[in-house]
Amino acid sequence: MEVKDPVLDIQDVSIKFGDFKAIKDVSTSVGKNEIRFFIGPNGAGKTTILDAICGKNKVSDGHIIFHSDKDGDKDVTKMREYKISDLGIGRKFQAPSVFGGITIEENIELAVARKHSIYCTTFLKLSKEKKDYMNYVLEFIGLQDKRFKYPGSLSHGEKQWLEIGMLMAAKPQLMLLDEPVAGMGRKETEKTAELLKKIKKDCSIIVVEHDMQFAKDVSDTVTVFHEGQVLDEGTMESVQRNQKVIDVYLGRG
Amino acid sequence: MKPRPAMKIKGTTILVLLIFLFLGTLPFYMPMFRVSLFGKYMCFAIVALGLDMIWGYTGILSLGHGVYFGLGAYCMAMYLKLEASGGALPDFMQWTGMSALPTFWKPFVNPVFAIAMAILVPMALAILIGYLTFLNKIRGVYFSILSQAMAMIMSTLLIGSQAYTGGSNGLTDFKTIFGKSINSPITKIQMFYATLIALVLIYGVCRFLTGRRVGRVLIAIRDGENRAGFAGYNTASYKVFVYALSAVIAGIAGALYVGQVGIISPNEVGITPSVEMIIWVAIGGKGTLAGPILGALAVNGFKTIASENFPELWSYFIGVLFVVVILWLPGGFVSLKEVPGRIRHVIEVRKNEKPRETENFVSEEKQSRAH
C-alpha cells in the first residue's frame, strides 16, 4: 500500500528475542494525519513493533525512519527512548501509567514542558504559551475541574484520557497507543474515539487494539499482523473481506 | 474552571519551623552536655534529609550512605588530626611505624581544602557510582544491595589500612578547630549553631528543589521511571544528580559531626549506621521534608533517654518503636494526624458488618434445621 507524505517508514524490520524471531521482515508506512490500527491475534507482534518504534526494544535488522519536522529524517532504531520522545514520538502503554505522586495538572505540566534538562526544570518557569496549552489540554480531556486532585481519585477511563492528554501536551508528530480502550465501557470508548479523531488533525496515530467496533469507527487504515508478519493492509472494509484475515483473526469472534 | 486552592501554610511547614525554633533556643535552657547531643542529632537530621531526597522523592533506596557520611567526616578529621599534631606526624602513625606523612594527607593541613574535600570527595564518588549503575539501568533492590556492599567495602578498607586511617580506632584526640580549643563551651556552642544553620540551609535547598518542576520529575521517576523517560526526561542523569546531591549533604553532615563528637571510626560508616539512617527517614515519614528531620531527632532522642533510664532494656524499646510505626504508621510520625480518621473508619466498617454477620448466622441455623 502506497502512502503519500509518510511520517514513519518501517523498512524490513526483524526483531529477535534470543533465537525467537518475534518480527519477521515487516515493512509499512504511516502517513500524515492518519490513524493506523495494528490488529491481529495475541502474540502477533503488534506491541513488539510499538516498543521498537519508541526505543524500548532493540531491532535486529532493518530500519525505522521517522520524518521529523524539525530534525529531518532519522533512523530511530539506535536512539535512546528520551531522545526519540524529544524527536516527536509519544507512547502510551497498555496499563494506565500516570504519576500518582503529583497532581493531574502537574502530570500535564511535566509533559507540556519541552526543555528537559535539570537546569531548566530547576530554574525556568513555563512560558505563558505553554501554560495556555496546558489549560487547553486539561479542558480537551475533560479534567479541568479535577486538575488539583491526584490521579488516584480518577476512574480507569479518566486515567487513560489523562495519559492521552499527557501525550498530546508534548505535541508529538506521531502517537503510539497500546490498547487505549481496554477495560472501558461503550460510552467511554465513544468519547475516546472522539478524542482521537480530534487529535488526528495535528498528528498521526498508531493504535494497537482488539476492539473491532472501535477500530471500525476510528481507523483510516489497518495493518493485520500474524505471527510476526504483515498479513494484510488497507481500509477496515477491505481487510474484513480478506479470507486469510477472517481465518486467523476476525472469524473467530 | 476551578480556581487554584488558596496558598495555605501546610502543617508540616509549621512543624519544621517549631523544630527550628526549639533547636535555636536550646542552648539557653539546656546543659552543655545536652546541647552537644542535639548537635549530633542535627547532623543525623541533615543526612536524613539527603536520604529522603533519593528515597522518599525519587524511590532509590540506598543502604550505603554511611560511606558518604564517613568520607565527609574523615576529610574533616584529617584536618583536625593534623592541627592537633601541629602538621607533624599524627600519633597513630607514629605507633604504626610510619616515618613521614603520606602525600595525600599533606594538603589537609589547610582547613579550606579539608572542607572542600568533605564536599567534593562524596560528590565525585557518588557521580562515579551513579553513572556506572543508573546509566546501566541497575535499579531497585539490585542498587540497594550494591550500595550496601559499598558500605561494607568502605569500613573494611578503613580498618585494613590502619597506617593511613587509624584502623578500627578511627581518628580521635582532636585538640583545636580553626585554632580554638575544641572542648571549650564557646566553640561547642558555635559548632552547634553552625550545624543548625547548615540544617536550615539544606532544608531550604531541598524545599526549593521539591517545589520546582525538578521535584516533580523526581516523583515521576519514583512513580514510573519508564513513563518519565518516554515523556522525554533523561531519568539516569536526574538520578545521578539527586544521588550526588544526597552524597554531598551526607558529607557535610559528616564534617559537622566529627568536630562535635570528637571521633570518627569505621563503626559510623559501615552497614549498621547506614541502615539506621534509613530507619530515621522511615520513622519520621518519607516523601516529606519534615519527616526525616523529625525522625532523626526523635529516634536518637528516644534512644538516648531509653539508654539512660533502662541501660539493659533500651534496645528492646527501640525495637518496639520500629515495629509499632511500621505496622500502624506506614507514613511515619508526620502521618499521625490521620490516625483518628482511620480509627473512625475502622469503627464504621465494623458497625456496618455486624448486622450482616448475624443474618448469615440465622440463615445457617435455618439450613441446619432443614436438614
Side-chain angles (χ1 to χ4, degrees), chain B residues 178-231:
Chain B
F178 308 128
K180 286 175 198 145
S181 166
I182 205 161
N183 287 318
S184 82
I186 296 171
T187 320
K188 290 210 156 204
I189 296 278
Q190 281 169 343
M191 284 194 288
F192 176 87
Y193 277 110
T195 313
L196 178 60
I197 290 168
L199 176 63
V200 173
L201 285 179
I202 287 167
Y203 171 76
V205 169
C206 293
R207 213 185 138 100
F208 172 76
L209 287 176
T210 53
R212 286 310 182 104
R213 204 142 49 83
V214 62
R216 274 159 250 152
V217 176
L218 296 180
I219 294 175
I221 291 172
R222 179 191 74 191
D223 291 348
E225 189 176 343
N226 286 328
R227 187 71 191 78
F230 291 117

Side-chain angles (χ1 to χ4, degrees), chain A residues 104-105 107-109 111-112 129-145 147 161-172 175 191 195 198-199 202, chain B residues 1:
Chain A
I104 288 156
E105 184 188 71
N107 268 275
I108 300 283
E109 185 196 8
V112 88
E129 180 194 349
K130 290 262 187 270
K131 269 192 182 154
D132 290 344
Y133 189 59
M134 181 173 86
N135 291 332
Y136 167 74
V137 171
L138 279 166
E139 202 142 333
F140 187 83
I141 56 174
L143 294 177
Q144 69 274 42
D145 286 339
R147 60 197 305 168
W161 295 329
L162 173 58
E163 209 179 337
I164 290 173
M166 285 165 73
L167 284 191
M168 242 183 99
K171 290 195 173 167
M175 258 190 208
K191 187 178 163 186
L195 284 183
K198 277 193 218 161
I199 293 171
D202 302 312
Chain B
M1 199 173 96

Side-chain angles (χ1 to χ4, degrees), chain B residues 164-279:
Chain B
Y164 303 106
T165 62
S168 49
N169 297 325
L171 300 177
T172 184
D173 285 333
F174 310 128
K175 293 194 176 67
T176 54
I177 180 164
F178 308 128
K180 286 175 198 145
S181 166
I182 205 161
N183 287 318
S184 82
I186 296 171
T187 320
K188 290 210 156 204
I189 296 278
Q190 281 169 343
M191 284 194 288
F192 176 87
Y193 277 110
T195 313
L196 178 60
I197 290 168
L199 176 63
V200 173
L201 285 179
I202 287 167
Y203 171 76
V205 169
C206 293
R207 213 185 138 100
F208 172 76
L209 287 176
T210 53
R212 286 310 182 104
R213 204 142 49 83
V214 62
R216 274 159 250 152
V217 176
L218 296 180
I219 294 175
I221 291 172
R222 179 191 74 191
D223 291 348
E225 189 176 343
N226 286 328
R227 187 71 191 78
F230 291 117
Y233 293 92
N234 183 353
T235 57
S237 71
Y238 275 86
K239 283 162 86 175
V240 172
F241 163 72
V242 74
Y243 187 58
L245 174 76
S246 76
V248 167
I249 293 175
I252 293 172
L256 290 163
Y257 173 90
V258 79
Q260 299 185 83
V261 179
I263 180 168
I264 181 73
S265 74
N267 283 334
E268 277 92 24
V269 176
I271 290 177
T272 316
S274 300
V275 173
E276 240 179 281
M277 292 168 186
I278 288 294
I279 291 170

Side-chain angles (χ1 to χ4, degrees), chain A residues 66 86 110 125 187 225:
Chain A
F66 178 62
D86 275 348
L110 283 192
K125 291 199 166 167
K187 267 228 167 103
F225 282 86

Side-chain angles (χ1 to χ4, degrees), chain B residues 277-293:
Chain B
M277 292 168 186
I278 288 294
I279 291 170
W280 303 330
V281 180
I283 296 262
K286 67 179 169 122
T288 64
L289 294 179
I293 298 178

Side-chain angles (χ1 to χ4, degrees), chain A residues 10-27:
Chain A
I10 300 175
Q11 301 169 344
D12 303 315
V13 163
S14 296
I15 299 170
K16 276 190 221 161
F17 296 115
D19 287 333
F20 174 66
K21 244 187 174 181
I23 299 288
K24 295 163 209 153
D25 299 324
V26 165
S27 297

Side-chain angles (χ1 to χ4, degrees), chain B residues 271-336:
Chain B
I271 290 177
T272 316
S274 300
V275 173
E276 240 179 281
M277 292 168 186
I278 288 294
I279 291 170
W280 303 330
V281 180
I283 296 262
K286 67 179 169 122
T288 64
L289 294 179
I293 298 178
L294 181 67
L297 295 177
V299 171
N300 285 293
F302 181 70
K303 202 166 151 181
T304 306
I305 296 168
S307 61
E308 278 168 2
N309 296 313
F310 309 96
E312 278 132 38
L313 291 173
W314 69 272
S315 50
Y316 293 99
F317 284 114
I318 301 281
V320 169
L321 175 73
F322 293 163
V323 172
V324 166
V325 169
I326 285 159
L327 278 182
W328 288 295
L329 263 184
F333 281 156
V334 288
S335 66
L336 260 174

